[in-house]
DNA sequence: TACAATATACCCATAACTACGCAGAACTAG
DNA sequence: CTAGTTCTGCGTAGTTATGGGTATATTGTA
């Protein structure tokens, strides 16, 4: 714990969640909330002014998607540690977000105290993952994740695009799209298109 | 505004949201939070003990789905006014939930002050819908909602069950299931099965 | 360079879904 | 009881998806 308080920037488009985090954190003197943003763009601006140590951000922001948001922060504010907040236990998304440079991943249904631990840990330079998340990561590591192309196909499928149209969009043969679909299902052990859709939603690959 | 404070029971499985609402409401002396539950079952128990005037509940609870939860409350606590909280602007769900007996519908991204107005309005016996919701209702009123049977089919479809299996489950002909699917799509103006799945998830008909 | 992984593409048979339309039975409200 | 809605069921034809393989560029990297 350093002499000066940990400067935290909150980013979430749900005022009630912001209010909740605020309310939890304001009782701690070693944590200072330097700002609250309801969009990624706004968050980037506030970060420029306030130079936060930790940015606590919802992965489901409406203006910019989670992974892109991480990238933007890494570019523009490399010193800020990113702590991602999520509604879901987004298995695959977690490892991806770590690769993108997130320092931690917390589920929104964690106990309020855990938020404090997460912020302290991330501020100290270590990584933090809430309980459910660690399990997800562990069970995930030995399973091969989807390739970039497969993810692209999955997103289209989950958006309701038929294989034929997806092929047009990606400018590949419909056969290829079908092969990808086949491989994705095999990897994820999912049998139906509906299952793919739900998987994509759960893992934040598309916005509901 | 009555002499005694409005007794409010909060139901949400996200501690941060509970904390947020709590934090907003605790500054108002005419509103008293008599309990906070993280599941519908727990909420029903607390309601028995505390007899709340208003129950403010997330439509996406993990133990019991939104519509069933409304029904349970209407049965067991008919005097409590239900104010539903939702992440999404769930078009049809809104009118359905009203039919089921909800007194109001508020989006989670509303300003914190609006929560107070909503509670006051609902407590007085009137209905309350936040801005985005009213629009959705207006554009919806002339469209017929899904029938009970259609909803049943939709749920099965969205769970990834094939028409053939759904027919077995409902003990009807596969033709009938197909007809229902056809009519559902027509009513909702949705073209693909994936669209139906997403619709069901958005509207809390199934749990992700 | 050579191996592994990835992305690409095709074939075939079967299963499932889609889109039209039509219509009787059962239930509900006035 | 009548009218309207809902639930039920069928036909036909066409489209799409599934689950088996197989196979060839390309790419990354050890």
């Amino acid at each position: 714990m350093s002499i000066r308080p940990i400067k935290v920037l909150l980013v979430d488009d749900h005022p009630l969640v912001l209010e909740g985090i605020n309310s939890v954190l304001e009782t701690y003197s070693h944590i200072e909330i330097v700002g609250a943003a309801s969009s990624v763009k706004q968050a980037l601006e506030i970060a420029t002014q306030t130079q936060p140590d930790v940015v606590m951000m919802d992965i489901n922001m409406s203006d910019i998607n989670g992974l892109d948001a991480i990238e933007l922060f890494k570019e523009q504010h490399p010193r800020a540690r990113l702590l991602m907040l999520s509604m879901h236990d987004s298995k695959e998304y977690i490892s991806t977000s770590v690769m993108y440079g997130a320092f931690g991943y917390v589920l929104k249904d964690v106990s309020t105290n855990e938020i404090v631990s997460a912020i302290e840990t991330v501020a100290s330079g270590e990584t933090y993952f809430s309980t459910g998340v660690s399990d997800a990561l562990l069970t995930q590591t030995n399973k091969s994740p989807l390739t970039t192309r497969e993810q692209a196909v999955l997103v289209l499928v989950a958006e309701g695009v038929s294989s034929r149209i997806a092929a047009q969009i990606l400018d590949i043969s419909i056969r290829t799209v079908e092969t990808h679909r086949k491989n994705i299902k095999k990897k994820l052990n999912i049998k139906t298109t509906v299952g793919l859709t739900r998987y994509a939603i759960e893992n934040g690959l598309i916005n509901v």
Side-chain angles (χ1 to χ4, degrees), chain A:
Chain A
M1 221 161 294
S2 57
I3 314 163
R4 65 174 188 80
I6 303 170
K7 297 199 307 195
V8 178
L9 169 59
L10 306 179
V11 192
D12 202 308
D13 46 6
H14 300 291
L16 288 177
V17 175
L18 285 180
E19 186 67 40
I21 300 176
N22 211 8
S23 148
V24 171
L25 297 183
E26 68 187 358
T27 57
Y28 295 85
S29 58
H30 67 297
I31 294 177
E32 181 195 359
I33 297 177
V34 296
S38 58
S39 73
V40 176
K41 285 188 181 175
Q42 192 192 352
L44 288 166
E45 289 172 15
I46 297 179
T48 308
Q49 298 158 21
T50 60
Q51 299 291 320
D53 303 301
V54 176
V55 176
M56 195 161 181
M57 180 164 58
D58 185 3
I59 65 165
N60 283 309
M61 298 299 292
S62 51
D63 60 338
I64 295 176
N65 91 25
L67 294 183
D68 291 344
I70 297 178
E71 278 201 325
L72 286 171
F73 264 96
K74 295 307 283 186
E75 282 172 23
Q76 298 180 28
H77 303 283
R79 296 191 49 200
R81 271 79 185 251
L82 290 170
L83 181 55
M84 306 306 286
L85 260 179
S86 166
M87 300 295 280
H88 311 288
D89 193 346
S90 318
K91 292 161 197 150
E92 182 213 336
Y93 197 96
I94 297 165
S95 48
T96 315
S97 62
V98 173
M99 288 193 308
Y100 271 69
F103 270 71
Y105 205 97
V106 181
L107 305 179
K108 269 187 189 165
D109 58 0
V110 297
S111 71
T112 47
N113 307 338
E114 209 180 317
I115 299 279
V116 179
S117 316
I119 291 176
E120 289 168 352
T121 308
V122 170
S124 75
E126 298 173 59
T127 57
Y128 185 95
F129 297 93
S130 52
T131 330
V133 174
S134 335
D135 296 348
L137 254 187
L138 288 176
T139 55
Q140 182 60 27
T141 33
N142 45 5
K143 287 177 191 167
S144 52
L146 299 182
T147 66
T148 315
R149 203 57 166 174
E150 285 168 344
Q151 278 199 29
V153 172
L154 175 54
V155 167
L156 289 173
V157 169
E159 280 171 349
V161 174
S162 73
S163 291
R164 192 170 52 82
I165 306 297
Q168 287 176 17
I169 293 174
L170 297 175
D171 196 27
I172 55 181
S173 157
I174 186 174
R175 312 292 175 191
T176 309
V177 175
E178 284 167 355
T179 302
H180 283 311
R181 290 176 74 134
K182 194 165 44 178
N183 294 335
I184 294 167
K185 286 189 187 168
K186 200 174 179 183
K187 279 186 181 176
L188 302 179
N189 196 27
I190 289 174
K191 289 188 178 52
T192 66
T193 306
V194 169
L196 290 181
T197 308
R198 297 180 60 172
Y199 179 89
I201 292 176
E202 283 170 29
N203 293 327
L205 295 176
I206 60 173
N207 292 322
V208 183

